[in-house]
Amino acid sequence: MQLPSALSFLIDNAVDMPDGDAFLTALAVRLMAEDMPLVGGALTQAAPHPVIEQRTWLWRADTGTVIEALGLARSANPDQNHIARNWLESLGTGVVQEDFAGGAGASDGTMLGWTASRPFTTAESELLREVARFAAAPLALLATRSTLSALLTAYLGRRSATQVLAGRSRREPGETIRAALLFADLRGFTELSESTEAKEVITALDAWFDRIAGAVHAFGGEVLKFIGDGVLAIFPIGERDAAAACEAALRAVAAARAGMDHLNRTRAAQNVPPLSFGTALHLGEMLWGNIGTADRLDFTAIGSAVNLVSRLEGLCKPLGHSALLSGSFAVQIRQPLIPLGEHSLRGIAAPCAVFALQ
């Protein structure tokens, strides 16, 4: 049976598309080959994600390019539910057709939309409806892959999620990572949790994690673990050298401090106590691998560098500084430092040279 090329693509090849960008582009090219007078196209899908509610890909016929628009969860903007249609209408042709993938009775909200340089003929309009119906299965698979990736990244972090998606689901030695390590811990959390309602404690903890993790990500780092009220993050050495990784970690600490200062001004206005934190920075190697029982695994970081940076953070309070640096980290940066001598750290064989920021 001879099918239009767009329908053949949806049956035979669409399941191999890696993302919405590639899917929409490939589909639009085949519709243009059917002499469709397309000016633009749009694909909208729900996105089960902590921050993003929906993803919309927007394709232009004149350039062949696709841009992506994100609809944020809990957004107060009423237009975000109409991103695709608003954009299609902005192209100015006055001809827009939107169809739910799977047909009018589809319930997941996935939608294909098109705008054309002239009104669609009855046959063209019917073909677009058939395209939307045939697109349901490959787009459902695409959504499943996207959901899996988003959820794994949200719960495991980008590095671990990539490894799980690549099929690493058994216990194995893992990989050695050389990186600048950052360990940060919220001060007074035990007292806060004992004297404050649970809901307020969670709100405070989320606000703290937003500031420190946001700063880490902003400067190219990655949060590996949330450990109670603490955070372990790395700035890997690879594309950038050790000095650049250490400078990025320092900038992240400065950004987190600025974020916490702003948060504490808000807390003061609400008559609640401020939040403070201690930070340790170290440069070293760690083992990042799949560790656990035969049927319950965790990608986790182990090694002397991880032990050292967490023990070093414990010296912040007794030494009276909010940020401490190991000797291996300190030699990589140009910023003036205060030498605090060598200190023995529990579980670490050799004493550690410790420095503080001026």
PDB file of all heavy atoms in Angstrom, residues 19 23 42 47 60 69 80 97 101 161 235 282 284 296 313 334:
ATOM      1  N   ASP A  19      14.678  13.145  19.988  1.00  0.00           N
ATOM      2  CA  ASP A  19      14.000  14.168  20.783  1.00  0.00           C
ATOM      3  C   ASP A  19      12.944  14.868  19.935  1.00  0.00           C
ATOM      4  O   ASP A  19      12.781  14.590  18.741  1.00  0.00           O
ATOM      5  CB  ASP A  19      14.996  15.200  21.326  1.00  0.00           C
ATOM      6  CG  ASP A  19      15.887  15.794  20.242  1.00  0.00           C
ATOM      7  OD1 ASP A  19      15.411  15.988  19.110  1.00  0.00           O
ATOM      8  OD2 ASP A  19      17.065  16.064  20.529  1.00  0.00           O
ATOM      9  N   PHE A  23      12.250  15.038  15.796  1.00  0.00           N
ATOM     10  CA  PHE A  23      10.968  14.504  15.334  1.00  0.00           C
ATOM     11  C   PHE A  23      10.223  15.543  14.506  1.00  0.00           C
ATOM     12  O   PHE A  23       9.763  15.261  13.384  1.00  0.00           O
ATOM     13  CB  PHE A  23      10.124  14.078  16.527  1.00  0.00           C
ATOM     14  CG  PHE A  23       8.760  13.556  16.165  1.00  0.00           C
ATOM     15  CD1 PHE A  23       8.558  12.199  15.997  1.00  0.00           C
ATOM     16  CD2 PHE A  23       7.678  14.413  15.990  1.00  0.00           C
ATOM     17  CE1 PHE A  23       7.298  11.707  15.643  1.00  0.00           C
ATOM     18  CE2 PHE A  23       6.430  13.937  15.636  1.00  0.00           C
ATOM     19  CZ  PHE A  23       6.241  12.579  15.468  1.00  0.00           C
ATOM     20  N   ALA A  42       4.530  23.142  15.200  1.00  0.00           N
ATOM     21  CA  ALA A  42       4.750  23.113  16.644  1.00  0.00           C
ATOM     22  C   ALA A  42       4.378  21.740  17.192  1.00  0.00           C
ATOM     23  O   ALA A  42       3.426  21.105  16.735  1.00  0.00           O
ATOM     24  CB  ALA A  42       3.928  24.195  17.333  1.00  0.00           C
ATOM     25  N   ALA A  47       5.628  17.438  30.366  1.00  0.00           N
ATOM     26  CA  ALA A  47       6.969  17.093  30.834  1.00  0.00           C
ATOM     27  C   ALA A  47       6.920  16.819  32.336  1.00  0.00           C
ATOM     28  O   ALA A  47       6.928  17.763  33.129  1.00  0.00           O
ATOM     29  CB  ALA A  47       7.951  18.215  30.522  1.00  0.00           C
ATOM     30  N   ARG A  60      10.390  26.594  11.965  1.00  0.00           N
ATOM     31  CA  ARG A  60      10.148  27.573  10.903  1.00  0.00           C
ATOM     32  C   ARG A  60      10.569  26.980   9.572  1.00  0.00           C
ATOM     33  O   ARG A  60      11.687  26.464   9.425  1.00  0.00           O
ATOM     34  CB  ARG A  60      10.951  28.855  11.142  1.00  0.00           C
ATOM     35  CG  ARG A  60      10.459  29.706  12.279  1.00  0.00           C
ATOM     36  CD  ARG A  60      11.221  31.021  12.301  1.00  0.00           C
ATOM     37  NE  ARG A  60      10.878  31.834  11.133  1.00  0.00           N
ATOM     38  CZ  ARG A  60      10.164  32.943  11.192  1.00  0.00           C
ATOM     39  NH1 ARG A  60       9.721  33.380  12.369  1.00  0.00           N
ATOM     40  NH2 ARG A  60       9.882  33.637  10.103  1.00  0.00           N
ATOM     41  N   ALA A  69      10.491  26.031  23.677  1.00  0.00           N
ATOM     42  CA  ALA A  69       9.914  26.876  24.715  1.00  0.00           C
ATOM     43  C   ALA A  69       9.461  25.982  25.860  1.00  0.00           C
ATOM     44  O   ALA A  69       8.876  24.916  25.638  1.00  0.00           O
ATOM     45  CB  ALA A  69       8.733  27.676  24.163  1.00  0.00           C
ATOM     46  N   GLN A  80       1.194  30.431  28.903  1.00  0.00           N
ATOM     47  CA  GLN A  80       2.100  29.313  28.687  1.00  0.00           C
ATOM     48  C   GLN A  80       1.367  28.052  28.210  1.00  0.00           C
ATOM     49  O   GLN A  80       1.986  27.166  27.633  1.00  0.00           O
ATOM     50  CB  GLN A  80       2.917  29.025  29.934  1.00  0.00           C
ATOM     51  CG  GLN A  80       2.266  28.141  30.979  1.00  0.00           C
ATOM     52  CD  GLN A  80       3.300  27.587  31.950  1.00  0.00           C
ATOM     53  OE1 GLN A  80       4.386  28.119  32.122  1.00  0.00           O
ATOM     54  NE2 GLN A  80       2.965  26.493  32.591  1.00  0.00           N
ATOM     55  N   GLN A  97      -3.777  25.017  12.074  1.00  0.00           N
ATOM     56  CA  GLN A  97      -4.509  23.790  12.392  1.00  0.00           C
ATOM     57  C   GLN A  97      -3.753  23.061  13.492  1.00  0.00           C
ATOM     58  O   GLN A  97      -2.552  22.828  13.391  1.00  0.00           O
ATOM     59  CB  GLN A  97      -4.648  22.873  11.168  1.00  0.00           C
ATOM     60  CG  GLN A  97      -5.350  21.542  11.509  1.00  0.00           C
ATOM     61  CD  GLN A  97      -5.736  20.732  10.295  1.00  0.00           C
ATOM     62  OE1 GLN A  97      -6.065  21.293   9.240  1.00  0.00           O
ATOM     63  NE2 GLN A  97      -5.715  19.408  10.416  1.00  0.00           N
ATOM     64  N   ALA A 101      -2.346  14.473  19.247  1.00  0.00           N
ATOM     65  CA  ALA A 101      -1.754  13.214  18.804  1.00  0.00           C
ATOM     66  C   ALA A 101      -2.630  12.065  19.278  1.00  0.00           C
ATOM     67  O   ALA A 101      -2.958  11.971  20.460  1.00  0.00           O
ATOM     68  CB  ALA A 101      -0.336  13.066  19.369  1.00  0.00           C
ATOM     69  N   ALA A 161      22.580   9.752  36.103  1.00  0.00           N
ATOM     70  CA  ALA A 161      21.482   9.450  35.185  1.00  0.00           C
ATOM     71  C   ALA A 161      22.020   9.005  33.836  1.00  0.00           C
ATOM     72  O   ALA A 161      21.497   8.052  33.230  1.00  0.00           O
ATOM     73  CB  ALA A 161      20.585  10.671  35.011  1.00  0.00           C
ATOM     74  N   PHE A 235      33.444  19.727  40.609  1.00  0.00           N
ATOM     75  CA  PHE A 235      33.732  20.513  39.408  1.00  0.00           C
ATOM     76  C   PHE A 235      34.807  19.717  38.662  1.00  0.00           C
ATOM     77  O   PHE A 235      35.997  19.854  38.938  1.00  0.00           O
ATOM     78  CB  PHE A 235      34.218  21.919  39.792  1.00  0.00           C
ATOM     79  CG  PHE A 235      33.176  22.722  40.501  1.00  0.00           C
ATOM     80  CD1 PHE A 235      32.904  22.510  41.854  1.00  0.00           C
ATOM     81  CD2 PHE A 235      32.431  23.674  39.824  1.00  0.00           C
ATOM     82  CE1 PHE A 235      31.926  23.238  42.510  1.00  0.00           C
ATOM     83  CE2 PHE A 235      31.450  24.405  40.470  1.00  0.00           C
ATOM     84  CZ  PHE A 235      31.192  24.179  41.819  1.00  0.00           C
ATOM     85  N   HIS A 282      38.313  21.058  48.231  1.00  0.00           N
ATOM     86  CA  HIS A 282      39.478  20.176  48.130  1.00  0.00           C
ATOM     87  C   HIS A 282      39.660  19.775  46.671  1.00  0.00           C
ATOM     88  O   HIS A 282      38.707  19.804  45.882  1.00  0.00           O
ATOM     89  CB  HIS A 282      39.263  18.934  49.000  1.00  0.00           C
ATOM     90  CG  HIS A 282      40.357  17.923  48.941  1.00  0.00           C
ATOM     91  ND1 HIS A 282      41.688  18.236  49.118  1.00  0.00           N
ATOM     92  CD2 HIS A 282      40.316  16.569  48.705  1.00  0.00           C
ATOM     93  CE1 HIS A 282      42.417  17.139  49.001  1.00  0.00           C
ATOM     94  NE2 HIS A 282      41.608  16.133  48.748  1.00  0.00           N
ATOM     95  N   GLY A 284      41.103  16.576  44.382  1.00  0.00           N
ATOM     96  CA  GLY A 284      41.588  15.204  44.481  1.00  0.00           C
ATOM     97  C   GLY A 284      40.831  14.261  43.577  1.00  0.00           C
ATOM     98  O   GLY A 284      40.076  14.680  42.699  1.00  0.00           O
ATOM     99  N   ARG A 296      19.568  -3.483  45.044  1.00  0.00           N
ATOM    100  CA  ARG A 296      19.328  -2.097  45.469  1.00  0.00           C
ATOM    101  C   ARG A 296      20.653  -1.349  45.382  1.00  0.00           C
ATOM    102  O   ARG A 296      21.556  -1.550  46.197  1.00  0.00           O
ATOM    103  CB  ARG A 296      18.777  -2.064  46.897  1.00  0.00           C
ATOM    104  CG  ARG A 296      18.591  -0.631  47.459  1.00  0.00           C
ATOM    105  CD  ARG A 296      17.577   0.156  46.637  1.00  0.00           C
ATOM    106  NE  ARG A 296      17.304   1.460  47.236  1.00  0.00           N
ATOM    107  CZ  ARG A 296      18.011   2.552  46.985  1.00  0.00           C
ATOM    108  NH1 ARG A 296      19.033   2.502  46.130  1.00  0.00           N
ATOM    109  NH2 ARG A 296      17.693   3.699  47.554  1.00  0.00           N
ATOM    110  N   GLU A 313      35.224  20.214  56.381  1.00  0.00           N
ATOM    111  CA  GLU A 313      34.098  21.109  56.645  1.00  0.00           C
ATOM    112  C   GLU A 313      33.782  21.139  58.137  1.00  0.00           C
ATOM    113  O   GLU A 313      33.369  22.178  58.679  1.00  0.00           O
ATOM    114  CB  GLU A 313      32.875  20.672  55.837  1.00  0.00           C
ATOM    115  CG  GLU A 313      31.731  21.681  55.832  1.00  0.00           C
ATOM    116  CD  GLU A 313      30.901  21.614  57.100  1.00  0.00           C
ATOM    117  OE1 GLU A 313      30.760  20.502  57.661  1.00  0.00           O
ATOM    118  OE2 GLU A 313      30.407  22.678  57.538  1.00  0.00           O
ATOM    119  N   ARG A 334      44.629  31.995  42.884  1.00  0.00           N
ATOM    120  CA  ARG A 334      45.425  33.206  43.087  1.00  0.00           C
ATOM    121  C   ARG A 334      44.908  34.067  44.223  1.00  0.00           C
ATOM    122  O   ARG A 334      45.571  34.998  44.646  1.00  0.00           O
ATOM    123  CB  ARG A 334      45.434  34.026  41.796  1.00  0.00           C
ATOM    124  CG  ARG A 334      46.043  33.286  40.606  1.00  0.00           C
ATOM    125  CD  ARG A 334      45.958  34.150  39.353  1.00  0.00           C
ATOM    126  NE  ARG A 334      46.516  33.462  38.191  1.00  0.00           N
ATOM    127  CZ  ARG A 334      46.537  33.973  36.967  1.00  0.00           C
ATOM    128  NH1 ARG A 334      46.033  35.193  36.752  1.00  0.00           N
ATOM    129  NH2 ARG A 334      47.048  33.289  35.961  1.00  0.00           N
TER     130      ARG A 334
END
